[in-house]
Amino acid sequence: MKFAMHCKFICIVLLLTIATLRAQDEPFAAEAPIFEIKDVDQQPEFPGGTDRFYDFFNSKFKKPQVPDLIGKVFISFIVEPDGTLTDISIYRDIGFGVGEQAKKIVEESPRWMAGRKDGKRVRVHYLLPIGIYIGQHD
C-alpha cells in the first residue's frame, strides 16, 4: 500500500517536472503594446490624483544639503494594466542624488490606476516631472 502511494507521488512529481520544463521551451506571447499618454482615452493616475502623488513624494523626499537648488527631475516608467510600475528610469536629473532618490520613491509608490484605451486597461508610458525647490531657508 505504501509502495503504491510512493509510486503515485513520484509519477506526479515527474509529470509536473516535465510539464514545467516543456512550458519553459514554449515561446512567450507577444507583449501588449505600450501606449503614449496622448494615445489613451483615460490617463493612468496615482491613487487620489497628482496632488496626492506630490504629497506622497514630499513625505519621503530628503532634501540634499545644497543651497538654492531649483530644477526638475523627470522619471520615466510604464503603468501596467494592473497598476504596477515597471521600467522605472531617470529621464532627466539635476544631480546631487536627487534623481536616484526620486526613482526610489516612485518604485515605492502604491499601484496606480491604469490607463484605458477603448474601455480596456492598457500599458502606458508615463513621463513624470518632479519639481525641486530648495531655498536658503528650507
Side-chain angles (χ1 to χ4, degrees):
M1 182 82 161
K2 284 186 180 183
F3 179 74
M5 293 204 37
H6 286 289
C7 285
K8 285 181 185 179
F9 177 75
I10 290 172
C11 287
I12 290 172
V13 170
L14 286 174
L15 287 174
L16 289 174
T17 302
I18 291 169
T20 302
L21 292 173
R22 289 184 67 198
Q24 290 176 359
D25 292 338
E26 294 174 11
F28 291 103
E31 282 194 31
I34 299 171
F35 292 89
E36 294 297 325
I37 290 286
K38 64 182 176 55
D39 298 324
V40 295
D41 304 325
Q42 181 180 342
Q43 295 183 7
E45 187 176 46
F46 184 84
T50 305
D51 289 341
R52 295 290 297 187
F53 171 79
Y54 290 117
D55 290 343
F56 170 80
F57 182 86
N58 288 327
S59 72
K60 296 189 172 287
F61 184 70
K62 293 177 180 59
K63 296 178 181 181
Q65 298 298 314
V66 178
D68 297 327
L69 179 62
I70 300 171
K72 280 190 180 179
V73 172
F74 289 82
I75 304 296
S76 172
F77 52 89
I78 296 171
V79 181
E80 299 291 343
D82 67 355
T84 58
L85 306 182
T86 60
D87 297 335
I88 301 169
S89 63
I90 302 166
Y91 182 78
R92 186 181 302 158
D93 195 356
I94 59 174
F96 306 102
V98 173
E100 283 299 325
Q101 188 180 170
K103 178 183 174 196
K104 183 178 180 197
I105 293 169
V106 169
E107 288 170 345
E108 295 172 358
S109 79
R111 288 180 187 230
W112 286 44
M113 292 181 289
R116 292 185 175 267
K117 174 84 172 163
D118 300 326
K120 296 179 182 173
R121 291 182 294 180
V122 294
R123 302 177 79 203
V124 180
H125 176 250
Y126 201 96
L127 187 60
L128 178 67
I130 302 171
I132 304 296
Y133 173 78
I134 301 173
Q136 285 183 331
H137 303 289
D138 285 336

